[in-house]
Amino acid sequence: MTYPETQLRHSLPLLLICDNLRDPGNLGTILRSAAGAGCSKVLLTKGCVDAWEPKVLRAGMGAHFQVPIINNLDWETVPNYLPTDTRVYVADNCGLYAQAQTSNKASDHGWVCDRQLSKLHKYEEEVDLETGASKGWLPELEVQSYDLDWTEAPAAVVIGGETHGVSLESLQLAENTGGKRLVIPVVPGVDSLNSAMAASILLFEGKRQLRVRAEHWSRDRSSH
């Protein structure tokens, strides 16, 4: 499939990975936001609803013809579709900024908010026989607010579905690429944001950061 020259010219070093997104309306809305933000491509892992399902097409409002979409990927093949030096960032789905503090314990990283993950695995600590230190099964990712700079290198944002959340594989990929967990703070008493809303906020924040960086680069260049 070929894409409009205008869209390709405005494409950013920003990529979206959809993980276990099963609601057609949400996926279509997310694709529309990805096209609007200028994402270079959208990757859909196995477990996502078919991007070409009629309800997704309807919600996408033409986004399917504005941004490349790669369907039905195994996590093992996802890195093959990422540009060199891409860092993978996982959208935090708990929204409790107070828990997003650096610590060695998984529960202090906001993992305890992930009810979806806890359904799959009961958090357990294993003991390293050589050192005697305890270790958890979850990758340790630094957590930061979504509005702090995270676009200094090509970035891929993982958005999980509201029912199943992000997969363990997405957390491992983020850890392996030097990525982080991005938190969108919400007021106490609010459970979390809709997946499509969270994706839109993160993608357009990434677009804003890239625009500011480009403006600074242009200003510095002209001053010399």
Side-chain angles (χ1 to χ4, degrees):
M1 184 182 291
T2 58
Y3 296 88
E5 280 297 322
T6 303
Q7 184 72 14
L8 296 176
R9 191 164 57 250
H10 289 86
S11 179
L12 301 172
L14 186 61
L15 187 147
L16 180 66
I17 303 174
C18 297
D19 181 15
N20 276 321
L21 275 169
R22 303 187 180 187
D23 183 89
N26 276 346
L27 180 56
T29 302
I30 286 171
L31 294 175
R32 189 176 178 183
S33 291
C39 279
S40 59
K41 68 180 74 168
V42 179
L43 308 181
L44 274 62
T45 63
K46 287 184 176 178
C48 289
V49 63
D50 184 3
W52 297 92
E53 197 260 4
K55 290 182 180 179
V56 182
L57 285 167
R58 191 178 304 122
M61 295 293 290
H64 293 68
F65 308 104
Q66 299 290 327
V67 60
I69 302 167
I70 304 173
N71 239 334
N72 205 35
L73 293 176
D74 289 310
W75 275 105
E76 292 78 10
T77 64
V78 167
N80 299 335
Y81 296 90
L82 302 179
T84 305
D85 299 326
T86 296
R87 294 177 186 170
V88 175
Y89 295 87
V90 178
D92 190 292
N93 66 335
C94 75
L96 296 180
Y97 185 63
Q99 295 193 3
Q101 304 299 323
T102 303
S103 168
N104 291 326
K105 292 177 62 180
S107 59
D108 291 335
H109 277 270
W111 304 128
V112 71
C113 300
D114 285 357
R115 295 179 301 281
Q116 295 92 342
L117 275 174
S118 64
K119 289 177 183 177
L120 299 175
H121 302 275
K122 182 179 179 181
Y123 181 76
E124 296 176 353
E125 287 192 342
E126 300 174 356
V127 177
D128 189 310
L129 296 179
E130 293 184 4
T131 65
S134 61
K135 57 181 181 178
W137 57 271
L138 280 170
E140 290 188 6
L141 285 178
E142 184 180 341
V143 185
Q144 74 171 51
S145 180
Y146 79 105
D147 54 353
L148 299 178
D149 192 11
W150 46 270
T151 58
E152 64 274 10
V157 177
V158 179
I159 296 290
E162 293 176 41
T163 303
H164 297 277
V166 295
S167 62
L168 182 58
E169 290 85 354
S170 70
L171 300 175
Q172 291 169 335
L173 183 58
E175 182 182 46
N176 293 339
T177 58
K180 299 179 182 178
R181 186 169 179 135
L182 300 178
V183 177
I184 302 174
V186 297
V187 299
V190 177
D191 182 48
S192 64
L193 294 178
N194 168 276
S195 293
M197 182 66 70
S200 299
I201 290 172
L202 292 176
L203 292 177
F204 278 90
E205 170 60 20
K207 180 182 178 70
R208 183 195 68 81
Q209 292 182 14
L210 289 167
R211 185 186 70 245
V212 169
R213 181 173 283 103
E215 289 172 353
H216 287 169
W217 179 83
S218 178
R219 195 178 302 120
D220 291 343
R221 187 180 181 187
S222 61
S223 63
H224 290 93

